[in-house]
Amino acid sequence: MNVRCGSAAERAGRQRGLIVLLGVMAALGPMTVDMYLPALPEITREFETNEATIQITLTGSLLGMGVGSLLFGLLSDARGRRIPLIIGLSVHVIFSVASAFAGNVILLIIFRTLQGVGSAAAPSIAMAIVRDISHGRAASVRYSMIMMVSMSAPIVAPLIGSLILLGTDWHGIFIAQGIMSALLVVLGVLFLPETRPERVPLRESRMFAGAAALFSDRMFVGAALSQMAMMAASFCYISGLSFVAQDWYGVSEQVYGAILAVGAVVMLMMNPLSPLLLRRFMPHKVQIIGLVGAMTSAALIMVSAGSLGLVGVTIFAWLCIGFQQLVIPNNQAMGLFNHAPRAGLAAAMIGTAGTIGAAVSAPLLGLAGTDNGFSMGFGMFAFYIVSLAASVFIIGFKNDDLTTRPINVVR
């Protein structure tokens, strides 16, 4: 399938199919994280350890995603998008199965880290593929479309995980993840096109030159830092809510899975708002709107924790992650706007920045201990402030005109 051949209507149809395929593959990351969240307390008890140690299994997968993003991003710039993506999916298959048979927490941390390396190929290369065929507002819209497709993962993942726990234990969750990634390998082999046929040497000097070009671009640096803080806030929600809901408020694994699923529905409902706002505003302004909404919602989590309990905490947490759908795709579009020749590396570095932020926030929240949700809300609020500061003071509003250049949506 060549997305650049045929009539305009045929190309548009193939590109829509490609976006759906990329969204399904990008969903592997959320599936990797969200499916096993209902099992965190069970894993903690089985290995006779504590919350902070078990959070490292999450941190390890996130760090693996950071390393994997750089590895597969560089490979995709040098050797094309298709083969590195299929290789990454295959790595995920191997270490999903290995995680299922981990005999102690150390092995689980190692296998989860390597599982994260494999899962990183899909989102980073998906971003690069979108930049291969579009940029500016068109890229923002396509990133939002990919997110809309991939948002099905947070809806079904915790429910699948909690249902698996009804019939087996946490080991079965990783077996299920291995089966899913194996199916994605088959889809990639059959349907994934090559959008970067050029081949260039994979040299250390090229990587350093590319990184230097990226870090000399204020819009890229600001978008990457904003994304880092945004993902840190996201994982305050992802890693913290499991213990807040189950350990503090005493809900079951199935109820917790339903809470995450409703949050994912909120994200799905908010996702189309970004393309609508992009008809009137530039990506930077849409991002600012999302950040202000997220900050306000996080402040309300802290206020409601002592009065409204779990109901208030979860409702305002859902609003937080809903408003994030205005931020994440526009960070991606701004970060890659000036870097078509090195889109794989740029996408990888933005992805790595996000995973570093997430990896740092999860254990910090674990060390804070389980409470009524105030600590989770405070952590999210603080990271949103950092994201907003990066957007306002590093990207700056003077760069808004960069995304108004004429764009060719179908190339």
PDB file of all heavy atoms in Angstrom, residues 1-27:
ATOM      1  N   MET A   1       0.855  -1.191   0.000  1.00  0.00           N
ATOM      2  CA  MET A   1       0.000   0.000   0.000  1.00  0.00           C
ATOM      3  C   MET A   1       0.885   1.233   0.000  1.00  0.00           C
ATOM      4  O   MET A   1       1.653   1.469   0.922  1.00  0.00           O
ATOM      5  CB  MET A   1      -0.896   0.010   1.246  1.00  0.00           C
ATOM      6  CG  MET A   1      -1.797   1.233   1.334  1.00  0.00           C
ATOM      7  SD  MET A   1      -3.046   1.099   2.640  1.00  0.00           S
ATOM      8  CE  MET A   1      -2.019   1.047   4.094  1.00  0.00           C
ATOM      9  N   ASN A   2       0.747   2.063  -1.057  1.00  0.00           N
ATOM     10  CA  ASN A   2       1.517   3.299  -1.174  1.00  0.00           C
ATOM     11  C   ASN A   2       0.573   4.465  -0.971  1.00  0.00           C
ATOM     12  O   ASN A   2      -0.351   4.677  -1.759  1.00  0.00           O
ATOM     13  CB  ASN A   2       2.194   3.389  -2.551  1.00  0.00           C
ATOM     14  CG  ASN A   2       3.189   4.533  -2.623  1.00  0.00           C
ATOM     15  OD1 ASN A   2       2.988   5.558  -1.991  1.00  0.00           O
ATOM     16  ND2 ASN A   2       4.237   4.335  -3.387  1.00  0.00           N
ATOM     17  N   VAL A   3       0.787   5.237   0.084  1.00  0.00           N
ATOM     18  CA  VAL A   3      -0.153   6.305   0.416  1.00  0.00           C
ATOM     19  C   VAL A   3       0.009   7.514  -0.481  1.00  0.00           C
ATOM     20  O   VAL A   3      -0.745   8.466  -0.370  1.00  0.00           O
ATOM     21  CB  VAL A   3       0.016   6.734   1.896  1.00  0.00           C
ATOM     22  CG1 VAL A   3      -0.351   5.607   2.813  1.00  0.00           C
ATOM     23  CG2 VAL A   3       1.417   7.234   2.176  1.00  0.00           C
ATOM     24  N   ARG A   4       0.988   7.512  -1.405  1.00  0.00           N
ATOM     25  CA  ARG A   4       1.226   8.687  -2.230  1.00  0.00           C
ATOM     26  C   ARG A   4       0.884   8.465  -3.701  1.00  0.00           C
ATOM     27  O   ARG A   4       1.130   9.330  -4.519  1.00  0.00           O
ATOM     28  CB  ARG A   4       2.694   9.120  -2.109  1.00  0.00           C
ATOM     29  CG  ARG A   4       3.067   9.460  -0.670  1.00  0.00           C
ATOM     30  CD  ARG A   4       4.415  10.119  -0.586  1.00  0.00           C
ATOM     31  NE  ARG A   4       4.766  10.378   0.802  1.00  0.00           N
ATOM     32  CZ  ARG A   4       5.831  11.069   1.186  1.00  0.00           C
ATOM     33  NH1 ARG A   4       6.664  11.552   0.297  1.00  0.00           N
ATOM     34  NH2 ARG A   4       6.092  11.269   2.451  1.00  0.00           N
ATOM     35  N   CYS A   5       0.342   7.311  -4.074  1.00  0.00           N
ATOM     36  CA  CYS A   5       0.010   7.009  -5.448  1.00  0.00           C
ATOM     37  C   CYS A   5      -1.503   6.963  -5.611  1.00  0.00           C
ATOM     38  O   CYS A   5      -2.246   6.731  -4.670  1.00  0.00           O
ATOM     39  CB  CYS A   5       0.634   5.673  -5.874  1.00  0.00           C
ATOM     40  SG  CYS A   5       2.424   5.700  -5.885  1.00  0.00           S
ATOM     41  N   GLY A   6      -1.981   7.150  -6.870  1.00  0.00           N
ATOM     42  CA  GLY A   6      -3.393   7.079  -7.165  1.00  0.00           C
ATOM     43  C   GLY A   6      -4.041   8.442  -7.136  1.00  0.00           C
ATOM     44  O   GLY A   6      -3.400   9.489  -6.972  1.00  0.00           O
ATOM     45  N   SER A   7      -5.369   8.476  -7.312  1.00  0.00           N
ATOM     46  CA  SER A   7      -6.114   9.724  -7.305  1.00  0.00           C
ATOM     47  C   SER A   7      -6.149  10.319  -5.900  1.00  0.00           C
ATOM     48  O   SER A   7      -5.821   9.657  -4.914  1.00  0.00           O
ATOM     49  CB  SER A   7      -7.541   9.484  -7.792  1.00  0.00           C
ATOM     50  OG  SER A   7      -8.236   8.679  -6.861  1.00  0.00           O
ATOM     51  N   ALA A   8      -6.611  11.585  -5.832  1.00  0.00           N
ATOM     52  CA  ALA A   8      -6.678  12.252  -4.527  1.00  0.00           C
ATOM     53  C   ALA A   8      -7.621  11.503  -3.592  1.00  0.00           C
ATOM     54  O   ALA A   8      -7.333  11.344  -2.400  1.00  0.00           O
ATOM     55  CB  ALA A   8      -7.135  13.698  -4.708  1.00  0.00           C
ATOM     56  N   ALA A   9      -8.748  11.023  -4.123  1.00  0.00           N
ATOM     57  CA  ALA A   9      -9.702  10.302  -3.280  1.00  0.00           C
ATOM     58  C   ALA A   9      -9.109   8.986  -2.779  1.00  0.00           C
ATOM     59  O   ALA A   9      -9.300   8.611  -1.619  1.00  0.00           O
ATOM     60  CB  ALA A   9     -10.986  10.030  -4.055  1.00  0.00           C
ATOM     61  N   GLU A  10      -8.389   8.294  -3.661  1.00  0.00           N
ATOM     62  CA  GLU A  10      -7.771   7.027  -3.258  1.00  0.00           C
ATOM     63  C   GLU A  10      -6.703   7.266  -2.201  1.00  0.00           C
ATOM     64  O   GLU A  10      -6.594   6.511  -1.233  1.00  0.00           O
ATOM     65  CB  GLU A  10      -7.181   6.330  -4.477  1.00  0.00           C
ATOM     66  CG  GLU A  10      -8.227   5.797  -5.444  1.00  0.00           C
ATOM     67  CD  GLU A  10      -7.607   5.292  -6.729  1.00  0.00           C
ATOM     68  OE1 GLU A  10      -6.437   5.675  -7.008  1.00  0.00           O
ATOM     69  OE2 GLU A  10      -8.262   4.530  -7.448  1.00  0.00           O
ATOM     70  N   ARG A  11      -5.889   8.312  -2.420  1.00  0.00           N
ATOM     71  CA  ARG A  11      -4.845   8.618  -1.427  1.00  0.00           C
ATOM     72  C   ARG A  11      -5.454   8.965  -0.075  1.00  0.00           C
ATOM     73  O   ARG A  11      -4.979   8.538   0.962  1.00  0.00           O
ATOM     74  CB  ARG A  11      -3.960   9.771  -1.917  1.00  0.00           C
ATOM     75  CG  ARG A  11      -3.088   9.435  -3.099  1.00  0.00           C
ATOM     76  CD  ARG A  11      -1.955  10.439  -3.252  1.00  0.00           C
ATOM     77  NE  ARG A  11      -2.439  11.800  -3.397  1.00  0.00           N
ATOM     78  CZ  ARG A  11      -2.744  12.379  -4.556  1.00  0.00           C
ATOM     79  NH1 ARG A  11      -2.650  11.680  -5.687  1.00  0.00           N
ATOM     80  NH2 ARG A  11      -3.150  13.637  -4.612  1.00  0.00           N
ATOM     81  N   ALA A  12      -6.534   9.761  -0.100  1.00  0.00           N
ATOM     82  CA  ALA A  12      -7.186  10.135   1.157  1.00  0.00           C
ATOM     83  C   ALA A  12      -7.735   8.899   1.873  1.00  0.00           C
ATOM     84  O   ALA A  12      -7.626   8.772   3.094  1.00  0.00           O
ATOM     85  CB  ALA A  12      -8.315  11.135   0.886  1.00  0.00           C
ATOM     86  N   GLY A  13      -8.324   7.974   1.109  1.00  0.00           N
ATOM     87  CA  GLY A  13      -8.845   6.754   1.711  1.00  0.00           C
ATOM     88  C   GLY A  13      -7.749   5.905   2.312  1.00  0.00           C
ATOM     89  O   GLY A  13      -7.915   5.358   3.416  1.00  0.00           O
ATOM     90  N   ARG A  14      -6.625   5.771   1.588  1.00  0.00           N
ATOM     91  CA  ARG A  14      -5.513   4.982   2.126  1.00  0.00           C
ATOM     92  C   ARG A  14      -4.926   5.634   3.370  1.00  0.00           C
ATOM     93  O   ARG A  14      -4.533   4.943   4.320  1.00  0.00           O
ATOM     94  CB  ARG A  14      -4.447   4.804   1.044  1.00  0.00           C
ATOM     95  CG  ARG A  14      -4.805   3.772  -0.010  1.00  0.00           C
ATOM     96  CD  ARG A  14      -3.594   3.411  -0.830  1.00  0.00           C
ATOM     97  NE  ARG A  14      -3.136   4.520  -1.643  1.00  0.00           N
ATOM     98  CZ  ARG A  14      -3.495   4.731  -2.919  1.00  0.00           C
ATOM     99  NH1 ARG A  14      -4.342   3.899  -3.508  1.00  0.00           N
ATOM    100  NH2 ARG A  14      -3.021   5.735  -3.604  1.00  0.00           N
ATOM    101  N   GLN A  15      -4.867   6.959   3.373  1.00  0.00           N
ATOM    102  CA  GLN A  15      -4.326   7.645   4.545  1.00  0.00           C
ATOM    103  C   GLN A  15      -5.243   7.488   5.754  1.00  0.00           C
ATOM    104  O   GLN A  15      -4.759   7.343   6.880  1.00  0.00           O
ATOM    105  CB  GLN A  15      -4.076   9.117   4.223  1.00  0.00           C
ATOM    106  CG  GLN A  15      -2.878   9.318   3.299  1.00  0.00           C
ATOM    107  CD  GLN A  15      -2.583  10.780   3.029  1.00  0.00           C
ATOM    108  OE1 GLN A  15      -3.273  11.661   3.523  1.00  0.00           O
ATOM    109  NE2 GLN A  15      -1.569  11.031   2.237  1.00  0.00           N
ATOM    110  N   ARG A  16      -6.559   7.515   5.531  1.00  0.00           N
ATOM    111  CA  ARG A  16      -7.465   7.272   6.664  1.00  0.00           C
ATOM    112  C   ARG A  16      -7.276   5.863   7.211  1.00  0.00           C
ATOM    113  O   ARG A  16      -7.262   5.658   8.435  1.00  0.00           O
ATOM    114  CB  ARG A  16      -8.919   7.480   6.219  1.00  0.00           C
ATOM    115  CG  ARG A  16      -9.332   8.940   6.109  1.00  0.00           C
ATOM    116  CD  ARG A  16     -10.830   9.069   5.961  1.00  0.00           C
ATOM    117  NE  ARG A  16     -11.307   8.525   4.695  1.00  0.00           N
ATOM    118  CZ  ARG A  16     -11.403   9.216   3.567  1.00  0.00           C
ATOM    119  NH1 ARG A  16     -11.072  10.499   3.544  1.00  0.00           N
ATOM    120  NH2 ARG A  16     -11.864   8.637   2.465  1.00  0.00           N
ATOM    121  N   GLY A  17      -7.133   4.890   6.309  1.00  0.00           N
ATOM    122  CA  GLY A  17      -6.867   3.524   6.766  1.00  0.00           C
ATOM    123  C   GLY A  17      -5.557   3.424   7.513  1.00  0.00           C
ATOM    124  O   GLY A  17      -5.453   2.709   8.521  1.00  0.00           O
ATOM    125  N   LEU A  18      -4.532   4.146   7.041  1.00  0.00           N
ATOM    126  CA  LEU A  18      -3.234   4.142   7.709  1.00  0.00           C
ATOM    127  C   LEU A  18      -3.339   4.732   9.110  1.00  0.00           C
ATOM    128  O   LEU A  18      -2.756   4.197  10.066  1.00  0.00           O
ATOM    129  CB  LEU A  18      -2.217   4.928   6.874  1.00  0.00           C
ATOM    130  CG  LEU A  18      -0.835   5.141   7.498  1.00  0.00           C
ATOM    131  CD1 LEU A  18      -0.158   3.809   7.786  1.00  0.00           C
ATOM    132  CD2 LEU A  18       0.026   6.015   6.593  1.00  0.00           C
ATOM    133  N   ILE A  19      -4.094   5.833   9.242  1.00  0.00           N
ATOM    134  CA  ILE A  19      -4.242   6.470  10.552  1.00  0.00           C
ATOM    135  C   ILE A  19      -4.926   5.518  11.534  1.00  0.00           C
ATOM    136  O   ILE A  19      -4.546   5.417  12.704  1.00  0.00           O
ATOM    137  CB  ILE A  19      -5.037   7.786  10.426  1.00  0.00           C
ATOM    138  CG1 ILE A  19      -4.239   8.808   9.603  1.00  0.00           C
ATOM    139  CG2 ILE A  19      -5.348   8.356  11.803  1.00  0.00           C
ATOM    140  CD1 ILE A  19      -2.871   9.137  10.144  1.00  0.00           C
ATOM    141  N   VAL A  20      -5.944   4.791  11.071  1.00  0.00           N
ATOM    142  CA  VAL A  20      -6.612   3.823  11.937  1.00  0.00           C
ATOM    143  C   VAL A  20      -5.634   2.731  12.370  1.00  0.00           C
ATOM    144  O   VAL A  20      -5.577   2.357  13.553  1.00  0.00           O
ATOM    145  CB  VAL A  20      -7.827   3.207  11.222  1.00  0.00           C
ATOM    146  CG1 VAL A  20      -8.401   2.045  12.040  1.00  0.00           C
ATOM    147  CG2 VAL A  20      -8.900   4.261  10.979  1.00  0.00           C
ATOM    148  N   LEU A  21      -4.847   2.208  11.407  1.00  0.00           N
ATOM    149  CA  LEU A  21      -3.871   1.172  11.733  1.00  0.00           C
ATOM    150  C   LEU A  21      -2.852   1.678  12.744  1.00  0.00           C
ATOM    151  O   LEU A  21      -2.511   0.986  13.716  1.00  0.00           O
ATOM    152  CB  LEU A  21      -3.173   0.700  10.459  1.00  0.00           C
ATOM    153  CG  LEU A  21      -2.050  -0.331  10.639  1.00  0.00           C
ATOM    154  CD1 LEU A  21      -2.575  -1.602  11.291  1.00  0.00           C
ATOM    155  CD2 LEU A  21      -1.389  -0.645   9.289  1.00  0.00           C
ATOM    156  N   LEU A  22      -2.357   2.900  12.534  1.00  0.00           N
ATOM    157  CA  LEU A  22      -1.384   3.467  13.471  1.00  0.00           C
ATOM    158  C   LEU A  22      -2.005   3.682  14.844  1.00  0.00           C
ATOM    159  O   LEU A  22      -1.346   3.495  15.871  1.00  0.00           O
ATOM    160  CB  LEU A  22      -0.840   4.794  12.919  1.00  0.00           C
ATOM    161  CG  LEU A  22       0.007   4.697  11.656  1.00  0.00           C
ATOM    162  CD1 LEU A  22       0.382   6.096  11.167  1.00  0.00           C
ATOM    163  CD2 LEU A  22       1.261   3.862  11.896  1.00  0.00           C
ATOM    164  N   GLY A  23      -3.281   4.087  14.879  1.00  0.00           N
ATOM    165  CA  GLY A  23      -3.952   4.255  16.163  1.00  0.00           C
ATOM    166  C   GLY A  23      -4.075   2.946  16.918  1.00  0.00           C
ATOM    167  O   GLY A  23      -3.868   2.896  18.132  1.00  0.00           O
ATOM    168  N   VAL A  24      -4.393   1.865  16.188  1.00  0.00           N
ATOM    169  CA  VAL A  24      -4.482   0.543  16.822  1.00  0.00           C
ATOM    170  C   VAL A  24      -3.124   0.129  17.370  1.00  0.00           C
ATOM    171  O   VAL A  24      -3.018  -0.392  18.498  1.00  0.00           O
ATOM    172  CB  VAL A  24      -5.008  -0.497  15.812  1.00  0.00           C
ATOM    173  CG1 VAL A  24      -4.902  -1.901  16.384  1.00  0.00           C
ATOM    174  CG2 VAL A  24      -6.452  -0.186  15.434  1.00  0.00           C
ATOM    175  N   MET A  25      -2.062   0.355  16.592  1.00  0.00           N
ATOM    176  CA  MET A  25      -0.720  -0.018  17.056  1.00  0.00           C
ATOM    177  C   MET A  25      -0.277   0.858  18.225  1.00  0.00           C
ATOM    178  O   MET A  25       0.332   0.363  19.182  1.00  0.00           O
ATOM    179  CB  MET A  25       0.269   0.080  15.901  1.00  0.00           C
ATOM    180  CG  MET A  25       0.065  -0.985  14.843  1.00  0.00           C
ATOM    181  SD  MET A  25       1.296  -0.876  13.525  1.00  0.00           S
ATOM    182  CE  MET A  25       0.988  -2.435  12.674  1.00  0.00           C
ATOM    183  N   ALA A  26      -0.595   2.162  18.161  1.00  0.00           N
ATOM    184  CA  ALA A  26      -0.214   3.058  19.256  1.00  0.00           C
ATOM    185  C   ALA A  26      -0.946   2.711  20.540  1.00  0.00           C
ATOM    186  O   ALA A  26      -0.497   3.066  21.636  1.00  0.00           O
ATOM    187  CB  ALA A  26      -0.494   4.506  18.867  1.00  0.00           C
ATOM    188  N   ALA A  27      -2.082   2.014  20.422  1.00  0.00           N
ATOM    189  CA  ALA A  27      -2.825   1.600  21.614  1.00  0.00           C
ATOM    190  C   ALA A  27      -2.073   0.566  22.434  1.00  0.00           C
ATOM    191  O   ALA A  27      -2.438   0.309  23.587  1.00  0.00           O
ATOM    192  CB  ALA A  27      -4.193   1.035  21.207  1.00  0.00           C
TER     193      ALA A  27
END
